[in-house]
Each structure stands twice: as C-alpha cells, then as structure tokens.
Amino acid sequence: MSIFKIYVMKTIKRIYLMSFIVAAIFVVSCKKTYDIQENNNQSLASSVTGSYTGELKNSQTNQTVPASLTVSVQNDSMVAMHCVADQFDTTITMLLYQNYDSLMVCYTGQDFYDQYGHNLNNNNFCNSKAAGWDDGWCMGNNCWGGEDQWNAWTNHLNTQHDSNDRHFGGFDVQGNACKYDFESSAGNTTYFESFTGFKKQK
C-alpha cells in the first residue's frame, strides 16, 4: 500500500472520529434542559426579583395599557408583586413553587384562606424534592394531579387544592417573563387585569 493511500485512510478515520465526537456533544447539549434546581446558590425568590415591563389587559373592556411589575424578595420562596398601570396599582404577596423550568405562584396566609376556604397544611413545599421522593400522603388521599410528587407544583396542587381551584400565573425563569391575572371586582362582577411582561436586564 502506498504512503499516499495510508495517509488518506488515516485522514478519513480522523474525520469520522471528529464527526462522531461533534455529533455526541451536540446530542448531549440539546438534551440538557434548564432546571431551576441546578442553580443551588440562588433562592427561588432571587431568581425572579426585579422590574418587568409589559402590558395590562382588562378582561371586561379588552383594553390594553402599558404596565410595570416590581418583584421583591420577602424570603427565599416568597415575593411581593407590585403592579402599576393607568388607574391600576396593587401589591400582592405570593409563594413560589418550582415547576421544572417555571416558577408558579399561589396565595399564602389569609389570602390563601380567603381564596380557597382553608389553610395551607404541612404537606406543602416550595422546592422540588429528589426524584423518587414520596411521603405516601397523596396516594392515600385520592390526589388528582398525577404521581410526580417530588415536583413542588404538582405536590402543591395535589395536597392543597381541589381540581377546580383556579390559579393566576407565574414566571418563565429562562425567558425572564411573567404572566399574572390580577383578580378585580366592580359591584358583583369579577374580572381580571392580566399582566404580561419581561424582566429588565441590567
């Protein structure tokens, strides 16, 4: 075999090897999903705090106006959400729940009781548990939302709510976005002021 043919064969083998390595790296990187839990140095609250700019839409009039939302830390898993727009200014305090790459929100304290008619109990947690976690509470109590009990949001729905309970929004952490429906009333009529916006980048 000539030196040229040996050189060509070695070059082809190197090309195949490099192609395989590049393809393997590409597949692994594509499979990797964003998970809030991977950033262990950041609390749930600090991952969404800041100023969001967007719009507020009234469900009665369908009118949309510019709006801003300021999210501030109350503790590791609780935030205050202050929304301001033309003729609208309100602040609510919400608990955060990990839901894979999102953070969902729900009332706490008296606001939770006023909305749902009972208090949160000790089966509630905000940070997702390790895969396979299950304290047995849900499976013995006819829970409705699935068996993924180590996901904090699924557990919250299963252990704290009825299947027809309404929730109002949350945060897309990776997309730096927030969507929340503020419940309002006029007389006997209930309507929503729906905020949609994106976090201002520093």
Side-chain angles (χ1 to χ4, degrees):
M1 186 178 292
S2 70
I3 294 174
F4 178 75
K5 284 185 178 179
I6 292 172
Y7 174 78
V8 169
M9 287 178 69
K10 284 184 177 181
T11 303
I12 291 171
K13 284 181 182 177
R14 285 186 187 129
I15 291 171
Y16 278 132
L17 180 60
M18 290 302 295
S19 299
F20 176 79
I21 291 170
V22 169
I25 292 170
F26 179 78
V27 168
V28 170
S29 65
C30 284
K31 282 187 175 180
K32 181 163 180 61
T33 57
Y34 185 86
D35 189 339
I36 298 164
Q37 281 185 290
E38 290 177 0
N39 193 348
N40 294 323
N41 296 323
Q42 193 172 32
S43 70
L44 299 185
S46 63
S47 66
V48 296
T49 54
S51 298
Y52 294 73
T53 302
E55 60 184 28
L56 198 67
K57 183 175 182 180
N58 185 302
S59 65
Q60 276 189 319
T61 64
N62 283 326
Q63 289 185 333
T64 300
V65 295
S68 64
L69 179 74
T70 303
V71 181
S72 55
V73 172
Q74 301 298 294
N75 63 37
D76 284 353
S77 55
M78 187 184 296
V79 293
M81 298 168 62
H82 180 204
C83 186
V84 178
D86 184 33
Q87 299 183 32
F88 185 84
D89 188 339
T90 192
T91 302
I92 56 175
T93 301
M94 306 297 279
L95 273 173
L96 300 167
Y97 296 89
Q98 283 184 313
N99 187 29
Y100 305 107
D101 60 352
S102 299
L103 283 177
M104 309 304 291
V105 298
C106 190
Y107 292 115
T108 185
Q110 188 63 41
D111 291 334
F112 184 92
Y113 184 88
D114 292 344
Q115 182 70 32
Y116 302 113
H118 62 275
N119 291 308
L120 292 167
N121 63 39
N122 291 334
N123 294 294
N124 190 58
F125 54 81
C126 292
N127 292 85
S128 296
K129 306 287 189 180
W133 176 90
D134 180 14
D135 68 356
W137 188 93
C138 186
M139 297 308 291
N141 285 272
N142 299 317
C143 292
W144 59 270
E147 298 180 11
D148 186 10
Q149 287 305 294
W150 51 87
N151 180 45
W153 182 241
T154 303
N155 177 77
H156 174 73
L157 295 177
N158 284 345
T159 63
Q160 310 302 315
H161 289 283
D162 295 326
S163 58
N164 60 347
D165 285 352
R166 192 185 196 288
H167 286 87
F168 302 93
F171 296 88
D172 172 358
V173 179
Q174 191 174 16
N176 289 310
C178 177
K179 171 137 184 16
Y180 189 83
D181 298 332
F182 292 91
E183 193 171 24
S184 300
S185 60
N188 295 325
T189 304
T190 298
Y191 63 97
F192 296 96
E193 296 279 4
S194 299
F195 175 83
T196 304
F198 293 91
K199 191 175 184 179
K200 292 180 183 176
Q201 299 304 303
K202 294 179 180 179

Short mmCIF file of all heavy atoms in Angstrom, two decimals, residues 33-61:
data_model
loop_
_atom_site.label_atom_id
_atom_site.label_comp_id
_atom_site.label_asym_id
_atom_site.label_seq_id
_atom_site.Cartn_x
_atom_site.Cartn_y
_atom_site.Cartn_z
N THR A 33 -31.84 20.35 29.66
CA THR A 33 -32.91 21.31 29.84
C THR A 33 -32.60 22.22 31.03
O THR A 33 -31.89 21.82 31.95
CB THR A 33 -34.26 20.60 30.10
OG1 THR A 33 -34.12 19.75 31.24
CG2 THR A 33 -34.66 19.79 28.88
N TYR A 34 -33.16 23.38 30.98
CA TYR A 34 -32.97 24.34 32.07
C TYR A 34 -33.73 23.87 33.29
O TYR A 34 -34.88 23.48 33.22
CB TYR A 34 -33.48 25.71 31.63
CG TYR A 34 -33.23 26.78 32.65
CD1 TYR A 34 -32.02 27.46 32.67
CD2 TYR A 34 -34.20 27.12 33.58
CE1 TYR A 34 -31.79 28.46 33.59
CE2 TYR A 34 -33.97 28.11 34.51
CZ TYR A 34 -32.77 28.78 34.51
OH TYR A 34 -32.53 29.76 35.42
N ASP A 35 -33.07 23.86 34.42
CA ASP A 35 -33.71 23.42 35.66
C ASP A 35 -33.30 24.39 36.75
O ASP A 35 -32.12 24.58 37.02
CB ASP A 35 -33.26 22.00 36.02
CG ASP A 35 -34.05 21.42 37.18
OD1 ASP A 35 -34.64 22.21 37.94
OD2 ASP A 35 -34.07 20.19 37.32
N ILE A 36 -34.28 25.01 37.40
CA ILE A 36 -34.00 25.99 38.43
C ILE A 36 -33.18 25.38 39.55
O ILE A 36 -32.34 26.02 40.15
CB ILE A 36 -35.33 26.56 38.99
CG1 ILE A 36 -36.08 27.26 37.87
CG2 ILE A 36 -35.07 27.53 40.13
CD1 ILE A 36 -37.52 27.52 38.16
N GLN A 37 -33.38 24.09 39.83
CA GLN A 37 -32.68 23.44 40.92
C GLN A 37 -31.18 23.37 40.70
O GLN A 37 -30.42 23.25 41.64
CB GLN A 37 -33.20 22.01 41.10
CG GLN A 37 -34.51 21.94 41.84
CD GLN A 37 -34.91 20.50 42.07
OE1 GLN A 37 -35.25 19.80 41.15
NE2 GLN A 37 -34.84 20.08 43.31
N GLU A 38 -30.73 23.42 39.44
CA GLU A 38 -29.31 23.30 39.16
C GLU A 38 -28.53 24.50 39.70
O GLU A 38 -27.35 24.41 39.96
CB GLU A 38 -29.07 23.16 37.66
CG GLU A 38 -29.55 21.83 37.13
CD GLU A 38 -29.40 21.72 35.63
OE1 GLU A 38 -28.92 22.69 35.02
OE2 GLU A 38 -29.76 20.67 35.08
N ASN A 39 -29.19 25.64 39.84
CA ASN A 39 -28.52 26.83 40.36
C ASN A 39 -28.71 26.87 41.87
O ASN A 39 -29.55 27.60 42.39
CB ASN A 39 -29.08 28.08 39.69
CG ASN A 39 -28.20 29.30 39.95
OD1 ASN A 39 -27.31 29.26 40.79
ND2 ASN A 39 -28.46 30.37 39.23
N ASN A 40 -27.94 26.08 42.60
CA ASN A 40 -28.15 25.91 44.03
C ASN A 40 -27.81 27.15 44.85
O ASN A 40 -28.20 27.23 46.01
CB ASN A 40 -27.32 24.71 44.53
CG ASN A 40 -27.81 23.41 43.94
OD1 ASN A 40 -29.00 23.22 43.77
ND2 ASN A 40 -26.89 22.51 43.63
N ASN A 41 -27.07 28.09 44.27
CA ASN A 41 -26.69 29.28 45.02
C ASN A 41 -27.76 30.37 44.97
O ASN A 41 -27.61 31.40 45.59
CB ASN A 41 -25.37 29.85 44.45
CG ASN A 41 -24.22 28.88 44.64
OD1 ASN A 41 -24.16 28.20 45.67
ND2 ASN A 41 -23.34 28.81 43.67
N GLN A 42 -28.84 30.13 44.24
CA GLN A 42 -29.86 31.14 44.06
C GLN A 42 -31.18 30.65 44.65
O GLN A 42 -31.63 29.55 44.36
CB GLN A 42 -30.01 31.44 42.58
CG GLN A 42 -30.81 32.69 42.28
CD GLN A 42 -30.75 33.03 40.81
OE1 GLN A 42 -30.67 32.16 39.96
NE2 GLN A 42 -30.80 34.31 40.49
N SER A 43 -31.80 31.48 45.49
CA SER A 43 -33.09 31.11 46.04
C SER A 43 -34.16 31.26 44.96
O SER A 43 -33.94 31.90 43.93
CB SER A 43 -33.43 32.00 47.23
OG SER A 43 -33.70 33.33 46.79
N LEU A 44 -35.32 30.67 45.21
CA LEU A 44 -36.42 30.81 44.25
C LEU A 44 -36.76 32.28 44.05
O LEU A 44 -36.92 32.74 42.92
CB LEU A 44 -37.65 30.05 44.75
CG LEU A 44 -37.53 28.54 44.96
CD1 LEU A 44 -38.89 27.96 45.35
CD2 LEU A 44 -37.00 27.86 43.72
N ALA A 45 -36.87 33.02 45.15
CA ALA A 45 -37.28 34.42 45.06
C ALA A 45 -36.27 35.26 44.29
O ALA A 45 -36.64 36.08 43.44
CB ALA A 45 -37.49 35.00 46.46
N SER A 46 -34.98 35.06 44.57
CA SER A 46 -33.97 35.90 43.91
C SER A 46 -33.86 35.62 42.41
O SER A 46 -33.37 36.46 41.66
CB SER A 46 -32.60 35.72 44.58
OG SER A 46 -32.15 34.39 44.44
N SER A 47 -34.36 34.47 41.96
CA SER A 47 -34.29 34.16 40.53
C SER A 47 -35.34 34.92 39.72
O SER A 47 -35.26 34.95 38.49
CB SER A 47 -34.44 32.66 40.29
OG SER A 47 -35.73 32.21 40.65
N VAL A 48 -36.32 35.55 40.39
CA VAL A 48 -37.36 36.29 39.65
C VAL A 48 -37.48 37.75 40.07
O VAL A 48 -38.26 38.49 39.48
CB VAL A 48 -38.74 35.60 39.77
CG1 VAL A 48 -38.71 34.23 39.13
CG2 VAL A 48 -39.21 35.51 41.22
N THR A 49 -36.74 38.18 41.08
CA THR A 49 -36.88 39.56 41.53
C THR A 49 -36.34 40.53 40.48
O THR A 49 -35.46 40.20 39.69
CB THR A 49 -36.13 39.79 42.86
OG1 THR A 49 -34.78 39.37 42.72
CG2 THR A 49 -36.79 39.05 43.99
N GLY A 50 -36.92 41.72 40.49
CA GLY A 50 -36.52 42.75 39.54
C GLY A 50 -37.73 43.47 38.98
O GLY A 50 -38.86 43.30 39.45
N SER A 51 -37.51 44.27 37.95
CA SER A 51 -38.56 45.06 37.31
C SER A 51 -38.93 44.45 35.96
O SER A 51 -38.06 44.15 35.15
CB SER A 51 -38.10 46.50 37.12
OG SER A 51 -37.82 47.11 38.36
N TYR A 52 -40.22 44.31 35.74
CA TYR A 52 -40.74 43.76 34.49
C TYR A 52 -41.55 44.84 33.77
O TYR A 52 -42.32 45.56 34.41
CB TYR A 52 -41.66 42.56 34.76
CG TYR A 52 -40.96 41.36 35.35
CD1 TYR A 52 -40.52 41.36 36.67
CD2 TYR A 52 -40.74 40.21 34.60
CE1 TYR A 52 -39.87 40.25 37.22
CE2 TYR A 52 -40.09 39.10 35.14
CZ TYR A 52 -39.67 39.14 36.45
OH TYR A 52 -39.04 38.03 36.98
N THR A 53 -41.36 44.95 32.48
CA THR A 53 -42.09 45.92 31.66
C THR A 53 -42.99 45.16 30.70
O THR A 53 -42.56 44.20 30.07
CB THR A 53 -41.12 46.80 30.86
OG1 THR A 53 -40.24 47.47 31.78
CG2 THR A 53 -41.87 47.83 30.05
N GLY A 54 -44.23 45.62 30.61
CA GLY A 54 -45.15 44.92 29.71
C GLY A 54 -46.46 45.66 29.56
O GLY A 54 -46.48 46.89 29.46
N GLU A 55 -47.55 44.89 29.60
CA GLU A 55 -48.88 45.49 29.40
C GLU A 55 -49.89 44.81 30.32
O GLU A 55 -49.69 43.69 30.80
CB GLU A 55 -49.31 45.35 27.95
CG GLU A 55 -49.39 43.93 27.45
CD GLU A 55 -49.74 43.85 25.97
OE1 GLU A 55 -49.41 44.80 25.23
OE2 GLU A 55 -50.34 42.83 25.57
N LEU A 56 -50.98 45.52 30.55
CA LEU A 56 -52.07 45.05 31.38
C LEU A 56 -53.35 45.08 30.55
O LEU A 56 -53.70 46.11 29.99
CB LEU A 56 -52.22 45.96 32.61
CG LEU A 56 -53.00 45.41 33.80
CD1 LEU A 56 -52.26 44.25 34.46
CD2 LEU A 56 -53.24 46.52 34.83
N LYS A 57 -54.02 43.92 30.46
CA LYS A 57 -55.23 43.82 29.66
C LYS A 57 -56.43 43.57 30.56
O LYS A 57 -56.44 42.66 31.36
CB LYS A 57 -55.11 42.70 28.63
CG LYS A 57 -56.32 42.60 27.71
CD LYS A 57 -56.10 41.55 26.63
CE LYS A 57 -57.30 41.48 25.69
NZ LYS A 57 -57.11 40.46 24.63
N ASN A 58 -57.47 44.40 30.39
CA ASN A 58 -58.70 44.29 31.17
C ASN A 58 -59.64 43.29 30.48
O ASN A 58 -59.97 43.45 29.30
CB ASN A 58 -59.36 45.67 31.27
CG ASN A 58 -60.58 45.68 32.15
OD1 ASN A 58 -61.55 44.95 31.91
ND2 ASN A 58 -60.55 46.51 33.18
N SER A 59 -60.07 42.26 31.22
CA SER A 59 -60.92 41.22 30.61
C SER A 59 -62.33 41.70 30.31
O SER A 59 -63.04 41.10 29.51
CB SER A 59 -60.98 39.99 31.53
OG SER A 59 -61.64 40.29 32.75
N GLN A 60 -62.75 42.81 30.95
CA GLN A 60 -64.08 43.37 30.67
C GLN A 60 -64.10 44.19 29.40
O GLN A 60 -64.99 44.07 28.57
CB GLN A 60 -64.53 44.25 31.84
CG GLN A 60 -65.18 43.52 32.99
CD GLN A 60 -65.78 44.51 33.98
OE1 GLN A 60 -65.18 45.54 34.29
NE2 GLN A 60 -66.96 44.18 34.47
N THR A 61 -63.09 45.07 29.28
CA THR A 61 -63.09 46.02 28.17
C THR A 61 -62.19 45.58 27.01
O THR A 61 -62.27 46.17 25.92
CB THR A 61 -62.58 47.39 28.66
OG1 THR A 61 -61.22 47.25 29.08
CG2 THR A 61 -63.43 47.89 29.83
#
